[in-house]
């Protein structure tokens, strides 16, 4: 290599190194704190820049899919975007499931994919693919950074792009942002030599880099959390006119816990009962202050035709995402178009109305909405057409309480019949009981998230619940919970099914460095048993093909824990599970607890509960 070629190579490396350092510093200045790194070569400049930055914490996760969900869990836990960095080729493609979940769940995330330079595109070069707009419509914005440019204006612009990326990831609708960054060899920073220190071009580049580093990073002001006064008045009028109002709280971020007082105050001033799912942050954990009447077991009630007829609300105020409850979705479908029943959906983002039956959709902060409507109700003067908390409303509340009592009796009878035998309902109750209020409960999709609502009383267990209800996939659940546990630094319990666990075994690597107790409770019912509760399971002609859906297995889960050196325990009785949970939650690090339950127990147990509830509700008719 000639002296001229060597000098050009060193200058290119210096330019690229300045580019990488400015980008990472700009992201840190805009609020990024955690960087999740997937292994690779083309991303070297950005990985080294992240490693050297004092304000960034680096996490190494070998599996890109696991890494992406780990970063997603961090972001769900704190509301701040984590940064993902990977090499070129197929690496970024493995981020797609988490990117899709981030988009649908309105979770901030920054994805930085290193890319090959333009001269290696479309020519069969190794590990090279078209990465432009790799994630399609699932990101809020895509930035292609192009080749490094050492002009002062370009260096300032790079920091501006970093600020833009973080801002767009946070507002107005939080979600993922993709940065694609081509990098040329040499990928390593230039070596410090006497020759380099005497090169005027390199000296000037360093000066420009430092001036750009000292430049301001634009701050973006958040929009005010206000609700249109006319809309507030309309909602207040509807609540006053309703004889059977009901607030339903669906999936929401951990931050919704902070709105509990406002939402419950609205229920109190309007004498409106509330039914909250665990993922709403408003069901579990002790809440201070006066609580409105709680409708605890709305799902089995509204799965019953008798329940939907006798306990039919004339106004539903839905807070947060579309409910997980199948019973509520059935109710919403039956209320569609009804002249004497209305539904108002309130959420900060999105369009949470899968039944297309809402009369009014309000995109606003739920806390601000609740405060505004509470004030409007409190300021109103009683007059003609105003019901308020009168006998009609009291009768409605009493009816819901009686329905709850029917469900409670059915649950207690079922648990008493099972005794110490471990069942899916008992697992849910023990997990909620054992997880401390200051801890975090992460819920897997399919059966676990539904079992907690079906079997557990409000007010018990932890105050915060992590879920991936954006797309409700079973992928990345271990990784996401590990990311959240590390970010929050609190004892964490993850309740998930055996297929979900097997789908994310590499998430156990993401849990290696946790300094808090992280307990993974795997409900082993030998497959995906939620499919046994779907209509296809009742069709005789499909009996032989049901295994394609339930996918039974004979995996020895203790070997998965041993692969990464995690503690393992098994439980087949309620007593054993309680003992193992208490032990694991008092010990730092990761413990896998396998809860072995009957293979077909969920469908059978839930079926008996629903039959008992339906009988009780029919007896309630006319009483």
């Amino acid at each position: 290599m000639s002296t001229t070629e060597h000098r050009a190579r060193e200058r290119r490396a210096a330019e690229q190194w300045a580019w990488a350092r400015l980008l990472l510093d700009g992201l840190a200045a805009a609020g990024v704190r955690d960087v999740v790194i997937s292994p690779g070569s083309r991303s070297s400049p950005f990985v080294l820049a992240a490693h050297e930055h004092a304000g960034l914490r680096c996490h190494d996760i070998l599996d890109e899919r696991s890494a992406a969900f780990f970063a997603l869990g961090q972001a769900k836990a704190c509301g701040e975007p984590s940064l993902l960095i990977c090499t070129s080729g197929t690496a970024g493609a493995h981020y797609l499931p988490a990117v899709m979940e981030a988009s649908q769940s309105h979770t901030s995330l920054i994805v930085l994919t290193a890319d090959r330079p333009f001269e290696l595109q479309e020519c069969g070069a190794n590990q090279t693919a078209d990465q432009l707009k790799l994630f399609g419509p699932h990101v809020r914005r895509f930035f292609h950074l192009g080749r490094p440019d050492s002009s002062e204006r370009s260096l300032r612009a790079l920091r501006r792009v970093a600020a833009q990326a973080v801002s767009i990831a946070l507002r107005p609708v939080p979600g993922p942002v993709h940065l694609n960054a081509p990098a040329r060899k040499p990928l390593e920073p230039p070596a410090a030599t006497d020759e380099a220190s005497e090169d005027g071009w390199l000296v000037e580049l360093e000066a420009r880099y430092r001036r750009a580093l000292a430049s301001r990073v634009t701050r973006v002001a958040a929009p005010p959390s206000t609700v249109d006064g006319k809309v507030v008045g309309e909602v207040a009028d509807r609540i006053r006119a309703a004889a059977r109002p009901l607030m339903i709280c669906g999936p929401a971020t951990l931050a919704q816990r902070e709105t509990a007082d406002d939402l419950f105050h609205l229920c109190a001033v309007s004498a409106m009962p509330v039914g909250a799912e665990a993922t709403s942050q408003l069901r579990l954990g002790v809440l201070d202050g006066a609580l409105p009447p709680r409708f605890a077991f709305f799902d089995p009630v509204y799965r019953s035709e008798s329940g939907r007829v006798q306990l039919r609300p004339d106004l539903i105020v839905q807070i947060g995402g579309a409910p997980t409850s199948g019973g509520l979705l059935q109710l919403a479908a039956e209320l569609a178009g009804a002249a004497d029943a209305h539904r108002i959906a309130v959420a900060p983002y999105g369009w949470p109305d899968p039944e297309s039956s809402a009369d009014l959709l309000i995109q606003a902060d739920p806390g601000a909405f609740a405060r505004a409507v509470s004030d409007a109700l409190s300021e109103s003067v009683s007059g003609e057409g105003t019901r308020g908390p009168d006998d009609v409303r009291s009768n409605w509340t009493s009816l819901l309480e009686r329905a709850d009592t029917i469900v409670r009796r059915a649950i207690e009878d079922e648990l008493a019949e099972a005794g110490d035998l471990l069942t899916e309902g008992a697992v849910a109750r023990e997990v909620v009981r054992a997880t401390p209020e200051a801890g975090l409960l992460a819920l897997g999709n399919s059966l676990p998230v539904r079992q907690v609502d079906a079997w557990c009383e409000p007010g018990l267990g932890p105050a915060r619940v992590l879920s991936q209800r954006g797309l409700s996939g079973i992928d990345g659940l271990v990784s996401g919970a590990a990311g959240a546990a590390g970010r929050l630094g609190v004892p964490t319990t993850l309740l998930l099914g055996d297929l979900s666990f097997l789908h994310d075994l590499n998430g156990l690597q993401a849990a290696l460095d946790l300094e808090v107790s992280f307990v993974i409770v795997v409900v082993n019912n030998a497959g995906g048993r939620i499919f046994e509760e779907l209509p296809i399971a009742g069709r005789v002609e499909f009996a032989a093909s049901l295994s394609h859906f339930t996918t039974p297995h004979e995996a020895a889960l203790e070997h998965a824990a041993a692969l990464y050196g995690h503690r393992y325990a098994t439980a087949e009785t309620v007593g054993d599970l309680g003992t193992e949970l208490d032990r694991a939650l008092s010990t730092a690090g990761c413990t896998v607890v396998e809860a072995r339950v009957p293979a077909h127990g969920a469908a059978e147990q839930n079926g008996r509960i629903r039959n008992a509830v339906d009988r009780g509700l029919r007896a309630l008719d006319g009483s």
Side-chain angles (χ1 to χ4, degrees), residues 371-547:
R371 289 191 299 272
V373 176
S374 295
D375 290 344
L377 289 169
S378 299
E379 291 169 3
S380 63
V381 179
S382 297
E384 187 176 352
T386 300
R387 276 201 172 90
D390 57 6
D391 291 341
V392 175
R393 199 68 63 81
S394 297
N395 290 339
W396 167 237
T397 299
S398 176
L399 193 60
L400 297 181
E401 290 174 346
R402 291 162 68 191
D404 262 347
T405 299
I406 291 171
V407 180
R408 283 191 181 92
R409 287 174 180 166
I411 289 173
E412 295 306 323
D413 288 347
E414 183 66 30
L415 291 173
E417 180 69 22
D420 200 34
L421 174 68
L422 197 57
T423 63
E424 304 226 12
V427 172
R429 285 167 69 105
E430 279 301 302
V431 166
V432 169
R433 175 204 65 77
T435 306
E437 185 184 359
L440 178 70
L441 174 62
L443 293 179
N445 290 316
S446 295
L447 279 175
V449 67
R450 292 169 171 84
Q451 297 290 63
V452 168
D453 286 334
W455 292 86
C456 300
E457 289 278 358
L460 303 175
R464 292 173 291 188
V465 176
L466 183 79
S467 66
Q468 291 181 183
R469 296 302 298 169
L471 287 175
S472 306
I474 66 168
D475 44 354
L477 293 169
V478 176
S479 302
R487 189 64 173 81
L488 290 176
V490 298
T492 299
T493 309
L494 168 61
L495 174 64
L496 80 171
D498 47 348
L499 294 189
S500 297
F501 179 71
L502 293 172
H503 204 279
D504 192 23
L505 289 182
N506 277 341
L508 294 172
Q509 187 257 336
L512 280 172
D513 296 327
L514 292 178
E515 298 178 355
V516 296
S517 57
F518 179 54
V519 186
I520 303 172
V521 180
V522 184
V523 182
N524 191 350
N525 52 18
R529 297 301 168 179
I530 193 171
F531 295 104
E532 293 181 337
E533 301 196 40
L534 299 180
I536 191 174
R539 301 276 296 274
V540 175
E541 66 269 33
F542 295 128
S545 60
L546 191 60
S547 63

Side-chain angles (χ1 to χ4, degrees), residues 171-342:
R171 63 185 70 85
V173 181
V177 172
H178 179 200
L179 304 172
N180 192 61
R184 281 188 174 90
K185 292 183 178 181
L187 300 171
E188 302 76 21
T193 63
D194 292 339
E195 180 183 347
S197 64
E198 295 172 359
D199 187 324
W201 187 92
L202 291 176
V203 172
E204 173 56 25
L205 172 63
E206 184 67 17
R208 267 180 268 155
Y209 161 75
R210 295 196 177 280
R211 286 194 295 270
L213 194 64
S215 64
R216 296 186 182 92
V217 173
T218 306
R219 293 188 307 112
V220 180
S225 297
T226 58
V227 187
D228 182 83
K230 291 183 179 180
V231 173
V232 170
E234 180 181 350
V235 173
D237 288 343
R238 290 194 183 188
I239 292 175
R240 282 193 293 265
R244 290 181 159 202
L246 177 64
M247 178 180 284
I248 291 295
C249 302
T253 65
L254 271 61
Q256 181 152 290
R257 186 70 174 188
E258 299 171 7
T259 70
D261 289 344
D262 295 321
L263 290 167
F264 286 170
H265 178 67
L266 171 58
C267 290
V269 300
S270 61
M272 177 166 48
V274 59
E277 295 185 337
T279 56
S280 72
Q281 317 304 328
L282 303 174
R283 182 181 181 91
L284 302 181
V286 177
L287 287 157
D288 297 328
L291 296 176
R294 292 199 192 186
F295 186 19
F297 297 107
F298 46 84
D299 182 67
V301 169
Y302 287 133
R303 283 181 182 270
S304 163
E305 184 177 356
S306 297
R308 294 194 300 277
V309 171
Q310 296 175 63
L311 286 88
R312 182 178 186 268
D314 57 4
L315 175 66
I316 293 178
V317 179
Q318 175 188 306
I319 304 295
T324 301
S325 162
L328 287 175
L329 292 176
Q330 285 179 272
L331 178 66
E334 292 183 8
L335 295 182
D340 59 344
H342 304 279

Side-chain angles (χ1 to χ4, degrees), residues 36 38 61 63-73 84 94-99 109 479:
V36 182
S38 302
I61 309 292
D63 182 324
E64 284 92 356
R65 186 178 68 178
S66 177
F69 278 103
F70 184 86
L72 182 77
L84 282 162
H94 294 287
Y95 288 164
L96 180 60
V99 168
L109 200 64
S479 302

Side-chain angles (χ1 to χ4, degrees), residues 336-362:
D340 59 344
H342 304 279
R343 187 162 67 89
I344 299 169
V346 183
Y349 322 105
W351 197 281
D353 183 23
E355 295 299 328
S356 303
S357 62
D359 299 71
L360 180 62
L361 178 66
I362 302 173

